[in-house]
Amino acid sequence: MKLHRPAVSVYTVPTDAPEADGTLAWDTTTVVITEVSAGGSTGTGWTYGPAAVGDFLAEHLAPLVEGRSALDVPAAHDAMCRAVRNAGRPGIAGCAISALDIALWDLKARLLELPLVRLLGACREQVPVYGSGGFTTYHDTHLEAQLNGWVHGQHIPRVKIKIGEGRGGEAARDLARVRSARQVIGDRAELYVDANGAYTRKQAVRVGVALAEHGVGWFEEPVSSDDLTGLRLVRDALVSDVTAGEYGYDLAYFARMITAGAVDCLQIDATRCGGPTEFLRAAALAQAHGLEVSAHCAPHAHAAPAAAIPNLRHIEWFHDHVRIEDMFFDGALDPTGGTVSPTADLGHGLTLRAEEIAEFRVA
C-alpha cells in the first residue's frame, strides 16, 4: 500500500483568556494538521507551532513520503530527518516531521485494524495525567476555579501552575500564588510549578527552597533548558525534582541532557521530537539511565505512546491543547480520576471535525 501525498491545514484559535508564563505571552494557539491516506484509510497528525510548519510540511516533506510503503513508518521517518539536514531540524522542520510521523502511525494502525496502543504494544492500561495551566496572567479567582476544577471536580490528584513572572522579576508574587494554589488543592494533591527558564541559577535555588515549604515536588525549567550546567546545579541543590526536555527536537538533544545529569524526569514532546518514532527512542534512552519520562502537552498525541513505555511518570493535561483537541476531534479522552485510557478504536481514535472548525482555518 503506497502513501498518497499528505494534505495540510492550519488553524488558529484564540485563547479563552490572556495567557503568559515566565518568559512569553500569547492570545492565540496555532495547530498544524496533516492527513495522509493509503489503502482506503486516512491517518491524522498534528503539531502546535507557526503556520510556516504547514508550509514546510507541504513543500518539503509531503513529496518525500508520497509513494512510500504505508507500513514502513521508520523508513519514512528516517528519510524526512535526512532531508532536513540543511534546513536544520530543530523548530519548524522538527514540528513538521512530528506531525507527519503521528499521522503515519495512525494510518498504519488503521490499515492493520488495530488501536495504536495495541500496534505499539501496551505496558499499561491507564496513563496518569496532571492538570496544567495556572498562567501568570490569571487573577486569583480564575486560578482558584481552574485548580478546583481539576482536583475537586475531575479528581486529578496532581496539578501545575506557571511561575517566573516577568522573567523572574516577580518572585514574591510567584510564591504567593504557590501558597494560594496549595490552599485550594489541599495537602493530598501534588503541586508542580513551571518557570519556563525565567530564573537565574542562584535565584532558582532560592525560590526552590521556598517552594519546598509548600510541598512542591516538580520544578520545571527553573533555568533555561539550554543551560545544562545550571539545571544540574539547581537539581543538586533542591529536594524537588528538576525537569526539562520539552524543546528536544532530536535524540541527540535528550542524550546531552541526560548525560549532563540535568534532570530527575525527562520531558518529551511527540509533536516536536519526531512523533511516536522518536518519542519511544527517547524514552528508551532515559530508561537506560534510570530516568522516568513525562509527555509534554498535546495529550491526545501522547496517550498511546505513553501507554507503551515502562518508565512513564505521566502526561501533561495542558489547558490550551486540551481545549483545542476537544473542539477539533471526535474521540477525545476523559481524565476524570487522574488517568486516561488509550482508545480501543482504530488508530489513535480521533476523527477531525473539519466542518465544525472551519471558522478557525487560516491555510
PDB file of all heavy atoms in Angstrom, residues 19 21 26 29 48 129-135 138 146 150 160 162 194 196 295-300 315-325:
ATOM      1  N   GLU A  19      -3.001  34.770  28.266  1.00  0.00           N
ATOM      2  CA  GLU A  19      -2.130  33.771  28.870  1.00  0.00           C
ATOM      3  C   GLU A  19      -0.670  34.189  28.785  1.00  0.00           C
ATOM      4  O   GLU A  19      -0.246  34.823  27.813  1.00  0.00           O
ATOM      5  CB  GLU A  19      -2.317  32.413  28.171  1.00  0.00           C
ATOM      6  CG  GLU A  19      -3.724  31.848  28.350  1.00  0.00           C
ATOM      7  CD  GLU A  19      -3.944  30.520  27.663  1.00  0.00           C
ATOM      8  OE1 GLU A  19      -3.027  30.044  26.951  1.00  0.00           O
ATOM      9  OE2 GLU A  19      -5.027  29.940  27.833  1.00  0.00           O
ATOM     10  N   ASP A  21       3.482  32.930  30.621  1.00  0.00           N
ATOM     11  CA  ASP A  21       4.288  32.211  31.588  1.00  0.00           C
ATOM     12  C   ASP A  21       5.443  33.119  32.003  1.00  0.00           C
ATOM     13  O   ASP A  21       5.328  34.346  31.909  1.00  0.00           O
ATOM     14  CB  ASP A  21       4.770  30.872  31.015  1.00  0.00           C
ATOM     15  CG  ASP A  21       5.517  31.010  29.690  1.00  0.00           C
ATOM     16  OD1 ASP A  21       6.233  32.009  29.500  1.00  0.00           O
ATOM     17  OD2 ASP A  21       5.406  30.095  28.850  1.00  0.00           O
ATOM     18  N   TRP A  26       0.806  35.133  25.127  1.00  0.00           N
ATOM     19  CA  TRP A  26       0.131  34.816  23.868  1.00  0.00           C
ATOM     20  C   TRP A  26      -1.380  34.903  24.046  1.00  0.00           C
ATOM     21  O   TRP A  26      -1.891  34.821  25.160  1.00  0.00           O
ATOM     22  CB  TRP A  26       0.522  33.423  23.370  1.00  0.00           C
ATOM     23  CG  TRP A  26       0.135  32.313  24.293  1.00  0.00           C
ATOM     24  CD1 TRP A  26      -0.973  31.527  24.242  1.00  0.00           C
ATOM     25  CD2 TRP A  26       0.873  31.845  25.438  1.00  0.00           C
ATOM     26  NE1 TRP A  26      -0.988  30.611  25.261  1.00  0.00           N
ATOM     27  CE2 TRP A  26       0.129  30.789  26.017  1.00  0.00           C
ATOM     28  CE3 TRP A  26       2.073  32.226  26.034  1.00  0.00           C
ATOM     29  CZ2 TRP A  26       0.568  30.101  27.155  1.00  0.00           C
ATOM     30  CZ3 TRP A  26       2.506  31.541  27.160  1.00  0.00           C
ATOM     31  CH2 TRP A  26       1.764  30.501  27.715  1.00  0.00           C
ATOM     32  N   THR A  29      -3.485  30.188  19.741  1.00  0.00           N
ATOM     33  CA  THR A  29      -2.701  28.960  19.575  1.00  0.00           C
ATOM     34  C   THR A  29      -2.925  28.452  18.161  1.00  0.00           C
ATOM     35  O   THR A  29      -4.070  28.355  17.710  1.00  0.00           O
ATOM     36  CB  THR A  29      -3.115  27.885  20.592  1.00  0.00           C
ATOM     37  OG1 THR A  29      -2.918  28.385  21.917  1.00  0.00           O
ATOM     38  CG2 THR A  29      -2.294  26.623  20.410  1.00  0.00           C
ATOM     39  N   TYR A  48       1.783  21.816  17.252  1.00  0.00           N
ATOM     40  CA  TYR A  48       1.486  23.199  17.617  1.00  0.00           C
ATOM     41  C   TYR A  48       2.693  24.061  17.271  1.00  0.00           C
ATOM     42  O   TYR A  48       3.821  23.779  17.711  1.00  0.00           O
ATOM     43  CB  TYR A  48       1.152  23.297  19.104  1.00  0.00           C
ATOM     44  CG  TYR A  48      -0.117  22.553  19.469  1.00  0.00           C
ATOM     45  CD1 TYR A  48      -0.075  21.227  19.894  1.00  0.00           C
ATOM     46  CD2 TYR A  48      -1.368  23.158  19.336  1.00  0.00           C
ATOM     47  CE1 TYR A  48      -1.236  20.527  20.201  1.00  0.00           C
ATOM     48  CE2 TYR A  48      -2.535  22.469  19.641  1.00  0.00           C
ATOM     49  CZ  TYR A  48      -2.463  21.154  20.076  1.00  0.00           C
ATOM     50  OH  TYR A  48      -3.623  20.468  20.372  1.00  0.00           O
ATOM     51  N   VAL A 129      -2.310  11.487  34.422  1.00  0.00           N
ATOM     52  CA  VAL A 129      -2.253  12.831  33.866  1.00  0.00           C
ATOM     53  C   VAL A 129      -2.094  13.844  35.000  1.00  0.00           C
ATOM     54  O   VAL A 129      -2.401  13.554  36.154  1.00  0.00           O
ATOM     55  CB  VAL A 129      -3.509  13.186  33.043  1.00  0.00           C
ATOM     56  CG1 VAL A 129      -3.759  12.154  31.960  1.00  0.00           C
ATOM     57  CG2 VAL A 129      -4.731  13.317  33.941  1.00  0.00           C
ATOM     58  N   TYR A 130      -1.603  15.045  34.646  1.00  0.00           N
ATOM     59  CA  TYR A 130      -1.637  16.155  35.597  1.00  0.00           C
ATOM     60  C   TYR A 130      -2.225  17.384  34.920  1.00  0.00           C
ATOM     61  O   TYR A 130      -1.946  17.649  33.747  1.00  0.00           O
ATOM     62  CB  TYR A 130      -0.261  16.442  36.204  1.00  0.00           C
ATOM     63  CG  TYR A 130       0.781  17.050  35.282  1.00  0.00           C
ATOM     64  CD1 TYR A 130       0.897  18.429  35.117  1.00  0.00           C
ATOM     65  CD2 TYR A 130       1.697  16.234  34.603  1.00  0.00           C
ATOM     66  CE1 TYR A 130       1.873  18.978  34.306  1.00  0.00           C
ATOM     67  CE2 TYR A 130       2.677  16.775  33.793  1.00  0.00           C
ATOM     68  CZ  TYR A 130       2.762  18.152  33.647  1.00  0.00           C
ATOM     69  OH  TYR A 130       3.728  18.698  32.835  1.00  0.00           O
ATOM     70  N   GLY A 131      -3.071  18.099  35.654  1.00  0.00           N
ATOM     71  CA  GLY A 131      -3.661  19.319  35.130  1.00  0.00           C
ATOM     72  C   GLY A 131      -2.614  20.412  35.017  1.00  0.00           C
ATOM     73  O   GLY A 131      -1.835  20.626  35.948  1.00  0.00           O
ATOM     74  N   SER A 132      -2.600  21.111  33.890  1.00  0.00           N
ATOM     75  CA  SER A 132      -1.553  22.091  33.617  1.00  0.00           C
ATOM     76  C   SER A 132      -2.156  23.371  33.041  1.00  0.00           C
ATOM     77  O   SER A 132      -2.905  23.328  32.072  1.00  0.00           O
ATOM     78  CB  SER A 132      -0.538  21.507  32.631  1.00  0.00           C
ATOM     79  OG  SER A 132       0.415  22.465  32.234  1.00  0.00           O
ATOM     80  N   GLY A 133      -1.797  24.481  33.627  1.00  0.00           N
ATOM     81  CA  GLY A 133      -2.274  25.802  33.189  1.00  0.00           C
ATOM     82  C   GLY A 133      -1.756  26.827  34.164  1.00  0.00           C
ATOM     83  O   GLY A 133      -0.559  27.096  34.232  1.00  0.00           O
ATOM     84  N   GLY A 134      -2.667  27.420  34.951  1.00  0.00           N
ATOM     85  CA  GLY A 134      -2.250  28.338  36.008  1.00  0.00           C
ATOM     86  C   GLY A 134      -1.371  29.466  35.517  1.00  0.00           C
ATOM     87  O   GLY A 134      -0.361  29.809  36.141  1.00  0.00           O
ATOM     88  N   PHE A 135      -1.751  30.084  34.406  1.00  0.00           N
ATOM     89  CA  PHE A 135      -0.912  31.090  33.769  1.00  0.00           C
ATOM     90  C   PHE A 135      -0.716  32.311  34.663  1.00  0.00           C
ATOM     91  O   PHE A 135      -1.577  32.639  35.497  1.00  0.00           O
ATOM     92  CB  PHE A 135      -1.521  31.496  32.425  1.00  0.00           C
ATOM     93  CG  PHE A 135      -1.734  30.325  31.511  1.00  0.00           C
ATOM     94  CD1 PHE A 135      -3.009  29.825  31.267  1.00  0.00           C
ATOM     95  CD2 PHE A 135      -0.654  29.695  30.912  1.00  0.00           C
ATOM     96  CE1 PHE A 135      -3.200  28.731  30.445  1.00  0.00           C
ATOM     97  CE2 PHE A 135      -0.840  28.594  30.087  1.00  0.00           C
ATOM     98  CZ  PHE A 135      -2.116  28.110  29.847  1.00  0.00           C
ATOM     99  N   TYR A 138      -3.477  34.899  35.078  1.00  0.00           N
ATOM    100  CA  TYR A 138      -4.732  34.588  35.748  1.00  0.00           C
ATOM    101  C   TYR A 138      -4.852  35.377  37.054  1.00  0.00           C
ATOM    102  O   TYR A 138      -3.915  35.407  37.857  1.00  0.00           O
ATOM    103  CB  TYR A 138      -4.814  33.098  36.089  1.00  0.00           C
ATOM    104  CG  TYR A 138      -5.204  32.190  34.950  1.00  0.00           C
ATOM    105  CD1 TYR A 138      -5.396  32.656  33.654  1.00  0.00           C
ATOM    106  CD2 TYR A 138      -5.366  30.825  35.172  1.00  0.00           C
ATOM    107  CE1 TYR A 138      -5.748  31.804  32.640  1.00  0.00           C
ATOM    108  CE2 TYR A 138      -5.725  29.958  34.156  1.00  0.00           C
ATOM    109  CZ  TYR A 138      -5.924  30.456  32.888  1.00  0.00           C
ATOM    110  OH  TYR A 138      -6.269  29.605  31.866  1.00  0.00           O
ATOM    111  N   GLN A 146      -9.774  27.122  38.193  1.00  0.00           N
ATOM    112  CA  GLN A 146      -9.132  26.093  37.379  1.00  0.00           C
ATOM    113  C   GLN A 146      -8.609  24.956  38.249  1.00  0.00           C
ATOM    114  O   GLN A 146      -8.815  23.768  37.938  1.00  0.00           O
ATOM    115  CB  GLN A 146      -7.993  26.699  36.565  1.00  0.00           C
ATOM    116  CG  GLN A 146      -7.400  25.730  35.550  1.00  0.00           C
ATOM    117  CD  GLN A 146      -6.328  26.378  34.709  1.00  0.00           C
ATOM    118  OE1 GLN A 146      -5.276  26.765  35.224  1.00  0.00           O
ATOM    119  NE2 GLN A 146      -6.584  26.511  33.407  1.00  0.00           N
ATOM    120  N   TRP A 150      -9.880  20.841  38.378  1.00  0.00           N
ATOM    121  CA  TRP A 150      -9.055  19.647  38.222  1.00  0.00           C
ATOM    122  C   TRP A 150      -9.116  18.733  39.446  1.00  0.00           C
ATOM    123  O   TRP A 150      -9.386  17.540  39.330  1.00  0.00           O
ATOM    124  CB  TRP A 150      -7.597  20.052  37.981  1.00  0.00           C
ATOM    125  CG  TRP A 150      -7.308  20.617  36.639  1.00  0.00           C
ATOM    126  CD1 TRP A 150      -7.896  20.278  35.450  1.00  0.00           C
ATOM    127  CD2 TRP A 150      -6.358  21.631  36.338  1.00  0.00           C
ATOM    128  NE1 TRP A 150      -7.358  21.021  34.427  1.00  0.00           N
ATOM    129  CE2 TRP A 150      -6.416  21.855  34.941  1.00  0.00           C
ATOM    130  CE3 TRP A 150      -5.452  22.377  37.092  1.00  0.00           C
ATOM    131  CZ2 TRP A 150      -5.599  22.779  34.304  1.00  0.00           C
ATOM    132  CZ3 TRP A 150      -4.634  23.299  36.470  1.00  0.00           C
ATOM    133  CH2 TRP A 150      -4.709  23.506  35.082  1.00  0.00           C
ATOM    134  N   LYS A 160      -0.263  21.683  37.944  1.00  0.00           N
ATOM    135  CA  LYS A 160       0.908  22.544  37.729  1.00  0.00           C
ATOM    136  C   LYS A 160       0.477  23.963  37.389  1.00  0.00           C
ATOM    137  O   LYS A 160      -0.462  24.159  36.613  1.00  0.00           O
ATOM    138  CB  LYS A 160       1.772  21.988  36.596  1.00  0.00           C
ATOM    139  CG  LYS A 160       3.089  22.733  36.372  1.00  0.00           C
ATOM    140  CD  LYS A 160       3.917  22.071  35.284  1.00  0.00           C
ATOM    141  CE  LYS A 160       3.426  22.396  33.894  1.00  0.00           C
ATOM    142  NZ  LYS A 160       4.226  21.724  32.845  1.00  0.00           N
ATOM    143  N   LYS A 162       2.124  28.086  36.419  1.00  0.00           N
ATOM    144  CA  LYS A 162       3.269  28.830  35.907  1.00  0.00           C
ATOM    145  C   LYS A 162       3.793  29.796  36.976  1.00  0.00           C
ATOM    146  O   LYS A 162       3.012  30.448  37.680  1.00  0.00           O
ATOM    147  CB  LYS A 162       2.872  29.633  34.668  1.00  0.00           C
ATOM    148  CG  LYS A 162       2.337  28.801  33.509  1.00  0.00           C
ATOM    149  CD  LYS A 162       3.428  27.988  32.850  1.00  0.00           C
ATOM    150  CE  LYS A 162       2.941  27.362  31.549  1.00  0.00           C
ATOM    151  NZ  LYS A 162       3.998  26.555  30.890  1.00  0.00           N
ATOM    152  N   ASP A 194       6.195  25.527  36.954  1.00  0.00           N
ATOM    153  CA  ASP A 194       6.966  25.629  35.714  1.00  0.00           C
ATOM    154  C   ASP A 194       7.402  27.082  35.557  1.00  0.00           C
ATOM    155  O   ASP A 194       6.571  27.981  35.415  1.00  0.00           O
ATOM    156  CB  ASP A 194       6.086  25.200  34.536  1.00  0.00           C
ATOM    157  CG  ASP A 194       6.824  25.231  33.206  1.00  0.00           C
ATOM    158  OD1 ASP A 194       8.020  25.577  33.182  1.00  0.00           O
ATOM    159  OD2 ASP A 194       6.192  24.905  32.181  1.00  0.00           O
ATOM    160  N   ASN A 196       9.537  28.064  33.099  1.00  0.00           N
ATOM    161  CA  ASN A 196       9.864  28.322  31.687  1.00  0.00           C
ATOM    162  C   ASN A 196      11.196  29.036  31.511  1.00  0.00           C
ATOM    163  O   ASN A 196      11.343  29.923  30.676  1.00  0.00           O
ATOM    164  CB  ASN A 196       8.740  29.100  31.006  1.00  0.00           C
ATOM    165  CG  ASN A 196       7.513  28.253  30.772  1.00  0.00           C
ATOM    166  OD1 ASN A 196       6.542  28.309  31.542  1.00  0.00           O
ATOM    167  ND2 ASN A 196       7.528  27.438  29.727  1.00  0.00           N
ATOM    168  N   ALA A 295       5.284  13.097  29.306  1.00  0.00           N
ATOM    169  CA  ALA A 295       4.907  13.615  27.989  1.00  0.00           C
ATOM    170  C   ALA A 295       4.453  15.061  28.115  1.00  0.00           C
ATOM    171  O   ALA A 295       3.606  15.383  28.944  1.00  0.00           O
ATOM    172  CB  ALA A 295       3.806  12.766  27.376  1.00  0.00           C
ATOM    173  N   HIS A 296       5.011  15.931  27.275  1.00  0.00           N
ATOM    174  CA  HIS A 296       4.747  17.370  27.324  1.00  0.00           C
ATOM    175  C   HIS A 296       3.607  17.752  26.382  1.00  0.00           C
ATOM    176  O   HIS A 296       3.680  17.529  25.174  1.00  0.00           O
ATOM    177  CB  HIS A 296       6.013  18.131  26.939  1.00  0.00           C
ATOM    178  CG  HIS A 296       5.813  19.598  26.765  1.00  0.00           C
ATOM    179  ND1 HIS A 296       5.612  20.187  25.530  1.00  0.00           N
ATOM    180  CD2 HIS A 296       5.764  20.603  27.677  1.00  0.00           C
ATOM    181  CE1 HIS A 296       5.470  21.493  25.687  1.00  0.00           C
ATOM    182  NE2 HIS A 296       5.555  21.770  26.978  1.00  0.00           N
ATOM    183  N   CYS A 297       2.539  18.339  26.953  1.00  0.00           N
ATOM    184  CA  CYS A 297       1.438  18.920  26.169  1.00  0.00           C
ATOM    185  C   CYS A 297       0.797  17.909  25.204  1.00  0.00           C
ATOM    186  O   CYS A 297       1.028  16.710  25.297  1.00  0.00           O
ATOM    187  CB  CYS A 297       1.913  20.163  25.437  1.00  0.00           C
ATOM    188  SG  CYS A 297       2.217  21.568  26.540  1.00  0.00           S
ATOM    189  N   ALA A 298      -0.053  18.425  24.284  1.00  0.00           N
ATOM    190  CA  ALA A 298      -0.712  17.610  23.244  1.00  0.00           C
ATOM    191  C   ALA A 298      -1.105  16.229  23.767  1.00  0.00           C
ATOM    192  O   ALA A 298      -0.663  15.207  23.238  1.00  0.00           O
ATOM    193  CB  ALA A 298       0.203  17.474  22.033  1.00  0.00           C
ATOM    194  N   PRO A 299      -1.951  16.156  24.796  1.00  0.00           N
ATOM    195  CA  PRO A 299      -2.159  14.869  25.477  1.00  0.00           C
ATOM    196  C   PRO A 299      -2.700  13.750  24.601  1.00  0.00           C
ATOM    197  O   PRO A 299      -2.349  12.585  24.790  1.00  0.00           O
ATOM    198  CB  PRO A 299      -3.142  15.221  26.598  1.00  0.00           C
ATOM    199  CG  PRO A 299      -3.797  16.492  26.169  1.00  0.00           C
ATOM    200  CD  PRO A 299      -2.745  17.237  25.413  1.00  0.00           C
ATOM    201  N   HIS A 300      -3.532  14.076  23.614  1.00  0.00           N
ATOM    202  CA  HIS A 300      -4.107  13.012  22.786  1.00  0.00           C
ATOM    203  C   HIS A 300      -3.099  12.440  21.789  1.00  0.00           C
ATOM    204  O   HIS A 300      -3.279  11.328  21.301  1.00  0.00           O
ATOM    205  CB  HIS A 300      -5.349  13.523  22.071  1.00  0.00           C
ATOM    206  CG  HIS A 300      -6.490  13.793  22.997  1.00  0.00           C
ATOM    207  ND1 HIS A 300      -6.667  15.023  23.606  1.00  0.00           N
ATOM    208  CD2 HIS A 300      -7.485  12.996  23.458  1.00  0.00           C
ATOM    209  CE1 HIS A 300      -7.743  14.966  24.383  1.00  0.00           C
ATOM    210  NE2 HIS A 300      -8.249  13.758  24.318  1.00  0.00           N
ATOM    211  N   ILE A 315       1.419  12.204  31.724  1.00  0.00           N
ATOM    212  CA  ILE A 315       1.322  13.115  30.594  1.00  0.00           C
ATOM    213  C   ILE A 315       0.667  14.410  31.066  1.00  0.00           C
ATOM    214  O   ILE A 315      -0.083  14.422  32.040  1.00  0.00           O
ATOM    215  CB  ILE A 315       0.550  12.513  29.401  1.00  0.00           C
ATOM    216  CG1 ILE A 315      -0.912  12.245  29.744  1.00  0.00           C
ATOM    217  CG2 ILE A 315       1.210  11.237  28.928  1.00  0.00           C
ATOM    218  CD1 ILE A 315      -1.722  11.743  28.547  1.00  0.00           C
ATOM    219  N   GLU A 316       0.968  15.479  30.356  1.00  0.00           N
ATOM    220  CA  GLU A 316       0.507  16.816  30.735  1.00  0.00           C
ATOM    221  C   GLU A 316      -0.865  17.105  30.114  1.00  0.00           C
ATOM    222  O   GLU A 316      -0.999  17.116  28.890  1.00  0.00           O
ATOM    223  CB  GLU A 316       1.525  17.860  30.283  1.00  0.00           C
ATOM    224  CG  GLU A 316       1.169  19.282  30.658  1.00  0.00           C
ATOM    225  CD  GLU A 316       2.257  20.281  30.315  1.00  0.00           C
ATOM    226  OE1 GLU A 316       3.199  19.903  29.574  1.00  0.00           O
ATOM    227  OE2 GLU A 316       2.189  21.431  30.783  1.00  0.00           O
ATOM    228  N   TRP A 317      -1.847  17.349  30.962  1.00  0.00           N
ATOM    229  CA  TRP A 317      -3.192  17.692  30.509  1.00  0.00           C
ATOM    230  C   TRP A 317      -3.256  19.216  30.405  1.00  0.00           C
ATOM    231  O   TRP A 317      -3.850  19.898  31.226  1.00  0.00           O
ATOM    232  CB  TRP A 317      -4.228  17.129  31.490  1.00  0.00           C
ATOM    233  CG  TRP A 317      -5.589  16.954  30.898  1.00  0.00           C
ATOM    234  CD1 TRP A 317      -6.689  17.736  31.128  1.00  0.00           C
ATOM    235  CD2 TRP A 317      -6.006  15.953  29.965  1.00  0.00           C
ATOM    236  NE1 TRP A 317      -7.752  17.281  30.387  1.00  0.00           N
ATOM    237  CE2 TRP A 317      -7.373  16.192  29.668  1.00  0.00           C
ATOM    238  CE3 TRP A 317      -5.354  14.881  29.342  1.00  0.00           C
ATOM    239  CZ2 TRP A 317      -8.090  15.382  28.784  1.00  0.00           C
ATOM    240  CZ3 TRP A 317      -6.073  14.088  28.467  1.00  0.00           C
ATOM    241  CH2 TRP A 317      -7.418  14.344  28.195  1.00  0.00           C
ATOM    242  N   PHE A 318      -2.624  19.750  29.333  1.00  0.00           N
ATOM    243  CA  PHE A 318      -2.389  21.189  29.188  1.00  0.00           C
ATOM    244  C   PHE A 318      -3.642  21.906  28.701  1.00  0.00           C
ATOM    245  O   PHE A 318      -4.220  21.526  27.679  1.00  0.00           O
ATOM    246  CB  PHE A 318      -1.232  21.416  28.217  1.00  0.00           C
ATOM    247  CG  PHE A 318      -0.889  22.858  27.986  1.00  0.00           C
ATOM    248  CD1 PHE A 318      -0.544  23.683  29.040  1.00  0.00           C
ATOM    249  CD2 PHE A 318      -0.903  23.380  26.706  1.00  0.00           C
ATOM    250  CE1 PHE A 318      -0.216  25.013  28.824  1.00  0.00           C
ATOM    251  CE2 PHE A 318      -0.579  24.710  26.476  1.00  0.00           C
ATOM    252  CZ  PHE A 318      -0.234  25.534  27.543  1.00  0.00           C
ATOM    253  N   HIS A 319      -4.024  22.948  29.413  1.00  0.00           N
ATOM    254  CA  HIS A 319      -5.303  23.614  29.189  1.00  0.00           C
ATOM    255  C   HIS A 319      -5.524  23.988  27.727  1.00  0.00           C
ATOM    256  O   HIS A 319      -6.577  23.664  27.147  1.00  0.00           O
ATOM    257  CB  HIS A 319      -5.394  24.870  30.070  1.00  0.00           C
ATOM    258  CG  HIS A 319      -6.591  25.714  29.783  1.00  0.00           C
ATOM    259  ND1 HIS A 319      -7.870  25.344  30.128  1.00  0.00           N
ATOM    260  CD2 HIS A 319      -6.709  26.911  29.145  1.00  0.00           C
ATOM    261  CE1 HIS A 319      -8.728  26.280  29.744  1.00  0.00           C
ATOM    262  NE2 HIS A 319      -8.046  27.235  29.132  1.00  0.00           N
ATOM    263  N   ASP A 320      -4.584  24.691  27.097  1.00  0.00           N
ATOM    264  CA  ASP A 320      -4.782  25.151  25.717  1.00  0.00           C
ATOM    265  C   ASP A 320      -5.009  23.989  24.759  1.00  0.00           C
ATOM    266  O   ASP A 320      -5.912  24.011  23.921  1.00  0.00           O
ATOM    267  CB  ASP A 320      -3.556  25.940  25.245  1.00  0.00           C
ATOM    268  CG  ASP A 320      -3.506  27.334  25.833  1.00  0.00           C
ATOM    269  OD1 ASP A 320      -4.396  27.677  26.632  1.00  0.00           O
ATOM    270  OD2 ASP A 320      -2.567  28.080  25.501  1.00  0.00           O
ATOM    271  N   HIS A 321      -4.165  22.973  24.857  1.00  0.00           N
ATOM    272  CA  HIS A 321      -4.227  21.873  23.906  1.00  0.00           C
ATOM    273  C   HIS A 321      -5.423  20.966  24.159  1.00  0.00           C
ATOM    274  O   HIS A 321      -6.017  20.443  23.213  1.00  0.00           O
ATOM    275  CB  HIS A 321      -2.925  21.084  23.949  1.00  0.00           C
ATOM    276  CG  HIS A 321      -1.740  21.882  23.486  1.00  0.00           C
ATOM    277  ND1 HIS A 321      -0.459  21.385  23.483  1.00  0.00           N
ATOM    278  CD2 HIS A 321      -1.652  23.155  23.014  1.00  0.00           C
ATOM    279  CE1 HIS A 321       0.363  22.306  23.020  1.00  0.00           C
ATOM    280  NE2 HIS A 321      -0.337  23.394  22.732  1.00  0.00           N
ATOM    281  N   VAL A 322      -5.775  20.774  25.428  1.00  0.00           N
ATOM    282  CA  VAL A 322      -6.988  20.012  25.741  1.00  0.00           C
ATOM    283  C   VAL A 322      -8.203  20.697  25.133  1.00  0.00           C
ATOM    284  O   VAL A 322      -9.073  20.047  24.528  1.00  0.00           O
ATOM    285  CB  VAL A 322      -7.152  19.860  27.264  1.00  0.00           C
ATOM    286  CG1 VAL A 322      -8.533  19.328  27.613  1.00  0.00           C
ATOM    287  CG2 VAL A 322      -6.072  18.948  27.829  1.00  0.00           C
ATOM    288  N   ARG A 323      -8.262  21.996  25.299  1.00  0.00           N
ATOM    289  CA  ARG A 323      -9.399  22.763  24.772  1.00  0.00           C
ATOM    290  C   ARG A 323      -9.498  22.611  23.255  1.00  0.00           C
ATOM    291  O   ARG A 323     -10.586  22.359  22.706  1.00  0.00           O
ATOM    292  CB  ARG A 323      -9.235  24.236  25.160  1.00  0.00           C
ATOM    293  CG  ARG A 323     -10.304  25.177  24.641  1.00  0.00           C
ATOM    294  CD  ARG A 323     -10.158  26.549  25.278  1.00  0.00           C
ATOM    295  NE  ARG A 323     -10.983  27.518  24.569  1.00  0.00           N
ATOM    296  CZ  ARG A 323     -10.521  28.387  23.663  1.00  0.00           C
ATOM    297  NH1 ARG A 323      -9.225  28.402  23.379  1.00  0.00           N
ATOM    298  NH2 ARG A 323     -11.333  29.211  23.052  1.00  0.00           N
ATOM    299  N   ILE A 324      -8.379  22.732  22.562  1.00  0.00           N
ATOM    300  CA  ILE A 324      -8.377  22.626  21.109  1.00  0.00           C
ATOM    301  C   ILE A 324      -8.693  21.203  20.667  1.00  0.00           C
ATOM    302  O   ILE A 324      -9.504  20.976  19.756  1.00  0.00           O
ATOM    303  CB  ILE A 324      -7.020  23.093  20.542  1.00  0.00           C
ATOM    304  CG1 ILE A 324      -6.908  24.616  20.673  1.00  0.00           C
ATOM    305  CG2 ILE A 324      -6.859  22.672  19.085  1.00  0.00           C
ATOM    306  CD1 ILE A 324      -5.558  25.167  20.298  1.00  0.00           C
ATOM    307  N   GLU A 325      -8.058  20.214  21.287  1.00  0.00           N
ATOM    308  CA  GLU A 325      -8.282  18.835  20.873  1.00  0.00           C
ATOM    309  C   GLU A 325      -9.718  18.384  21.147  1.00  0.00           C
ATOM    310  O   GLU A 325     -10.285  17.604  20.380  1.00  0.00           O
ATOM    311  CB  GLU A 325      -7.244  17.933  21.545  1.00  0.00           C
ATOM    312  CG  GLU A 325      -5.844  18.179  20.969  1.00  0.00           C
ATOM    313  CD  GLU A 325      -4.710  17.594  21.781  1.00  0.00           C
ATOM    314  OE1 GLU A 325      -4.968  16.751  22.670  1.00  0.00           O
ATOM    315  OE2 GLU A 325      -3.546  17.969  21.537  1.00  0.00           O
TER     316      GLU A 325
END
